[in-house]
Amino acid sequence: MTEALNPIEWKNDALVLLDQTKLPNDIVYEEFTTAESVWDAIVTMKVRGAPAIGVAAAYGVYLGVRDYKADLDQAALVNEVQKTAAYLATSRPTAVNLFWALDRMTAVTATDASYQDALLAEAKAIHKEDEEINRTIGENLLTLLSDGIGILTHCNAGSLATSKYGTATAPMYLAKEKGWNFKVYADETRPRLQGSTLTALELSRAGIDVTVITDSMAAMVMSQGKVQAVIVGCDRVAANGDTANKIGTLSVSILAKHYGIPFYVAAPTPTIDLNTATGAGIPIEERHKSEVIEGFGKLTAPADVKVYNPAFDVTPAEHITAIITEKGIVRAPYTENLKLLMRDTI
Amino acid sequence: MTEALNPIEWKNDALVLLDQTKLPNDIVYEEFTTAESVWDAIVTMKVRGAPAIGVAAAYGVYLGVRDYKADLDQAALVNEVQKTAAYLATSRPTAVNLFWALDRMTAVTATDASYQDALLAEAKAIHKEDEEINRTIGENLLTLLSDGIGILTHCNAGSLATSKYGTATAPMYLAKEKGWNFKVYADETRPRLQGSTLTALELSRAGIDVTVITDSMAAMVMSQGKVQAVIVGCDRVAANGDTANKIGTLSVSILAKHYGIPFYVAAPTPTIDLNTATGAGIPIEERHKSEVIEGFGKLTAPADVKVYNPAFDVTPAEHITAIITEKGIVRAPYTENLKLLMRDTI
């Protein structure tokens, strides 16, 4: 067994991230000790995946204020926490876990221990909850699958996007533990290639049968009867079930609908945002054109050509067979059922 | 105006090809004087696009036998032509234009001029017919479009795939000549990126408003109402209208159907193959995994990972709004109407 990849760890009073931009070729861990460097790691996608971004940002808030210990009074420190959280919130707009984690951090109050110790404890709690959530999502998802099937996934909602197990990949790891014989098709996921660089890496290291395809091949493998379930992660689920996830997910959902294949969204409850009514209200990040035309080590289009590069798209709720959370499986009507689920959660 | 790119030319007793693997960065013309080098140019995709492959192969047959002039009697020479054609037919399996052009070359008989002169004349005739076909396809397609629209295209069925105008791009060049204001979205077309390296290059050089997107973004731009027509080329149309084209075309056809957008196939009649009953009978080339995971100047997946890399897929006839040929516009029922069209053609 090859050494496990740990995307995010708190170690020696520092946040240690596996630099995901260097995978699959180089396994490089980097230490972060300031809020600014954490902000930069999120923007440049050294850390990515909605849950991992939330966890990293939580540690980032603590790192941003821990040096103030001696200098500031409690009120001034609270102000610094707010400022740091507001700053980290500007790193990426779409995944709601970021804002959810920052809200938890700004809600921390001083205890018997120092305020900073409480902040660090909260960041660690968020981190630990994420691990527990994933296994439960995996167990819930596994009840919808069976031995011998083909599963298609898009992007990486794996152990590299979260903590152990991942979300969309959690049932794959559990199926492997049960000795199931199944195949995974991993869309390479342009432009950043999280499917080939990350999902294919982590699944093949775990001995899972994974085949990389370009995003454009998903329809063909579905038409050949090779796919019995699509499982994806998500960056934000609106109150009506509309789901933002990596660009290309909408396309996969339409293909799955066309071929009558169930389309499952793995969603930790921190990714469900009842304050956003529909997908139309989810801000979609647009990233630089260089990701599309300069990623191949050379220009792959005329330098001055127009490029459209949205990082996410929104899959309408009606394309989604079920949303699988750690609290249970949610089906349509989503508006009612998500509200019920979150009432139990909060 | 920048200098025109000429993908294929007969010049100084040699076949001159624009090396399309070096675009958009380097414009390199290479001379070919043997059948073997033409075979290699087709396999390595220095020349690509169904019509251009057919034209190149036709010249390849001539190049393969012209040096036999003094040595062989007529019957032996005919035998050499057959052998050369059979050899060139092994270069790529899917585009039927290749076999159509080779059939025309092997059907050549000696005239008053020498046999070889007749072969060269036939290759030149195939080349010239291709140019004429494209303009007419463009005029026919233009009747289905209107000023102000957005057009999505996949891969390159442009002037680089054929001769002047291209097939799928022909109406775009004609619309530009008419002063229409329209936008083109070019899928980058993984894994070989013909959309960004070729289509975006030739359209932007012609001053046409073109935006590169990844294949995975087609659904999003359609969902935003930006696309009023999809136009693609093709590598082989079966007797029932099922159409093989670049991998990813099937996906685009399903998305277009979902959003109610007309899906047009630009098809020179040499691409229509009444001898293949349905799409199931079209051989689909699979290419090397390196195209998917080594195209970025570094490995983008674990080296030993499984990769599926079909170069084409088949779009069922029922997804196709119309097939536009130089002889007219064909609509369902395709089996009847393609037969009628081809009866007039042959």
Side-chain angles (χ1 to χ4, degrees):
Chain A
M1 194 65 190
T2 42
E3 151 217 24
L5 300 175
N6 195 344
I8 184 160
E9 199 178 1
W10 182 258
K11 200 170 153 182
N12 304 329
D13 287 325
L15 176 64
V16 178
L17 298 175
L18 172 60
D19 183 349
Q20 302 200 25
T21 65
K22 295 197 163 61
L23 296 175
N25 299 297
D26 302 305
I27 295 173
V28 178
Y29 290 94
E30 196 177 334
E31 223 179 61
F32 296 83
T33 55
T34 66
E36 288 74 16
S37 63
V38 172
W39 183 90
D40 188 67
I42 296 172
V43 168
T44 59
M45 297 175 66
K46 288 180 179 177
V47 61
R48 31 68 50 202
I53 288 172
V55 173
Y59 285 118
V61 170
Y62 167 70
L63 290 171
V65 301
R66 71 168 168 188
D67 290 343
Y68 288 110
K69 198 170 282 188
D71 313 32
L72 295 180
D73 65 18
Q74 181 83 3
L77 202 47
V78 168
N79 191 42
E80 283 303 319
V81 167
Q82 303 282 352
K83 271 172 57 183
T84 306
Y87 162 70
L88 285 163
T90 64
S91 57
R92 297 193 73 186
T94 304
V96 77
N97 308 58
L98 172 66
F99 310 106
W100 169 86
L102 293 173
D103 284 349
R104 278 188 54 168
M105 293 302 288
T106 54
V108 167
T109 49
T111 57
D112 287 347
S114 81
Y115 184 42
Q116 280 101 333
D117 288 347
L119 286 169
L120 179 57
E122 185 69 359
K124 286 180 176 175
I126 291 170
H127 191 179
K128 186 154 175 19
E129 284 167 34
D130 181 41
E131 289 184 19
E132 292 162 356
I133 283 173
N134 294 341
R135 182 166 178 112
T136 313
I137 287 178
E139 286 163 355
N140 289 342
L141 251 166
L142 201 62
T143 66
L144 302 171
L145 309 177
S146 56
D147 196 1
I149 68 171
I151 300 169
L152 186 139
T153 187
H154 187 77
C155 197
N156 176 262
S159 64
L160 291 167
T162 59
S163 307
K164 202 177 167 192
Y165 292 107
T167 57
T169 56
M172 305 175 196
Y173 290 113
L174 296 177
K176 176 77 184 168
E177 286 173 15
K178 286 169 81 92
W180 282 13
N181 177 28
F182 62 103
K183 285 181 184 295
V184 177
Y185 293 90
D187 281 357
E188 65 172 6
T189 316
R190 287 282 289 147
R192 298 282 303 213
L193 299 167
Q194 293 94 335
S196 52
T197 62
L198 307 178
T199 301
L201 175 69
E202 66 169 86
L203 295 184
S204 61
R205 283 170 68 104
I208 291 171
D209 182 344
V210 58
T211 300
V212 172
I213 57 174
T214 65
D215 305 325
S216 60
M217 292 170 196
M220 184 159 180
V221 300
M222 289 185 188
S223 76
Q224 294 167 333
K226 293 175 176 166
V227 178
Q228 282 68 48
V230 173
I231 309 176
V232 297
C234 54
D235 292 82
R236 187 184 307 211
V237 178
N240 73 338
D242 290 351
T243 295
N245 190 45
K246 181 55 51 197
I247 186 72
T249 304
L250 170 61
S251 179
V252 174
S253 77
I254 293 167
L255 302 178
K257 200 175 177 196
H258 178 81
Y259 289 108
I261 299 166
F263 182 90
Y264 299 125
V265 173
T269 52
T271 315
I272 296 168
D273 177 16
L274 296 187
N275 296 320
T276 299
T278 73
I282 301 175
I284 299 297
E285 176 183 10
E286 283 188 39
R287 295 182 62 90
H288 196 267
K289 66 187 271 188
S290 61
E291 290 190 344
V292 176
I293 66 168
E294 295 175 26
F296 294 78
K298 60 181 179 185
L299 263 182
T300 53
D304 57 353
V305 81
K306 287 201 276 188
V307 174
Y308 180 49
N309 185 19
F312 304 91
D313 56 26
V314 175
T315 297
E318 60 263 31
H319 298 189
I320 300 169
T321 310
I323 296 172
I324 293 84
T325 78
E326 78 279 14
K327 301 288 180 187
I329 297 171
V330 183
R331 294 182 186 266
Y334 288 108
T335 302
E336 284 168 59
N337 291 339
L338 286 172
K339 202 183 287 180
L340 282 172
L341 181 93
M342 296 304 278
R343 187 176 305 159
D344 292 346
T345 301
I346 295 162
Chain B
M1 192 67 190
T2 44
E3 152 216 26
L5 300 175
N6 196 344
I8 184 161
E9 198 177 1
W10 183 259
K11 197 170 155 184
N12 305 330
D13 286 324
L15 177 64
V16 178
L17 298 175
L18 173 60
D19 183 349
Q20 301 199 25
T21 66
K22 296 200 163 62
L23 297 174
N25 298 297
D26 302 306
I27 295 173
V28 177
Y29 290 94
E30 196 177 334
E31 223 179 60
F32 297 84
T33 56
T34 66
E36 288 74 15
S37 63
V38 173
W39 183 90
D40 188 67
I42 295 172
V43 168
T44 59
M45 297 176 66
K46 288 180 179 176
V47 60
R48 30 67 53 202
I53 288 172
V55 173
Y59 285 117
V61 171
Y62 168 70
L63 291 170
V65 300
R66 71 169 169 187
D67 290 340
Y68 288 111
K69 197 169 281 188
D71 313 30
L72 297 179
D73 65 18
Q74 179 84 4
L77 202 50
V78 168
N79 192 42
E80 283 302 321
V81 167
Q82 303 281 351
K83 273 172 56 184
T84 306
Y87 162 69
L88 286 162
T90 64
S91 57
R92 297 193 73 187
T94 304
V96 77
N97 309 58
L98 172 65
F99 310 107
W100 169 87
L102 293 173
D103 284 348
R104 277 187 55 168
M105 293 302 286
T106 54
V108 167
T109 51
T111 57
D112 287 345
S114 80
Y115 185 42
Q116 281 99 332
D117 288 349
L119 287 168
L120 180 57
E122 185 69 0
K124 286 182 176 173
I126 291 170
H127 191 177
K128 184 154 178 20
E129 283 168 34
D130 181 41
E131 289 184 18
E132 291 162 357
I133 282 172
N134 294 343
R135 180 165 180 115
T136 313
I137 288 177
E139 285 164 355
N140 289 342
L141 252 166
L142 200 63
T143 65
L144 302 170
L145 310 176
S146 56
D147 195 3
I149 69 172
I151 300 169
L152 184 138
T153 188
H154 187 76
C155 197
N156 176 260
S159 64
L160 291 166
T162 60
S163 307
K164 201 176 167 192
Y165 291 110
T167 57
T169 55
M172 304 175 197
Y173 290 114
L174 297 178
K176 177 74 184 171
E177 286 174 15
K178 286 168 80 92
W180 282 13
N181 177 27
F182 62 104
K183 284 180 184 296
V184 177
Y185 293 90
D187 281 357
E188 66 172 6
T189 317
R190 284 284 288 150
R192 300 281 305 213
L193 300 168
Q194 293 92 337
S196 51
T197 63
L198 307 179
T199 301
L201 175 69
E202 65 170 83
L203 295 184
S204 61
R205 284 170 67 103
I208 291 171
D209 181 343
V210 57
T211 300
V212 173
I213 56 174
T214 66
D215 305 326
S216 61
M217 293 169 194
M220 184 158 179
V221 299
M222 288 184 188
S223 77
Q224 294 167 333
K226 292 176 178 168
V227 178
Q228 281 68 46
V230 173
I231 309 177
V232 297
C234 56
D235 292 82
R236 190 185 306 212
V237 178
N240 73 339
D242 289 352
T243 295
N245 190 45
K246 180 55 52 201
I247 185 73
T249 305
L250 169 61
S251 180
V252 174
S253 78
I254 294 167
L255 302 178
K257 201 175 174 193
H258 180 80
Y259 288 109
I261 298 166
F263 182 89
Y264 299 124
V265 173
T269 52
T271 315
I272 297 170
D273 177 16
L274 295 188
N275 296 320
T276 300
T278 72
I282 301 175
I284 298 295
E285 177 183 10
E286 283 187 37
R287 296 180 63 90
H288 195 268
K289 68 188 270 189
S290 61
E291 290 189 345
V292 176
I293 67 169
E294 295 176 24
F296 295 78
K298 60 180 180 186
L299 264 182
T300 52
D304 57 353
V305 81
K306 287 201 278 187
V307 174
Y308 180 48
N309 185 20
F312 303 91
D313 57 26
V314 174
T315 297
E318 60 263 32
H319 298 188
I320 300 170
T321 310
I323 297 173
I324 293 85
T325 77
E326 77 279 15
K327 302 287 181 186
I329 296 170
V330 184
R331 294 182 186 264
Y334 288 108
T335 302
E336 285 168 58
N337 291 339
L338 286 172
K339 202 183 287 178
L340 282 173
L341 180 93
M342 296 303 277
R343 189 177 302 160
D344 294 344
T345 302
I346 296 165

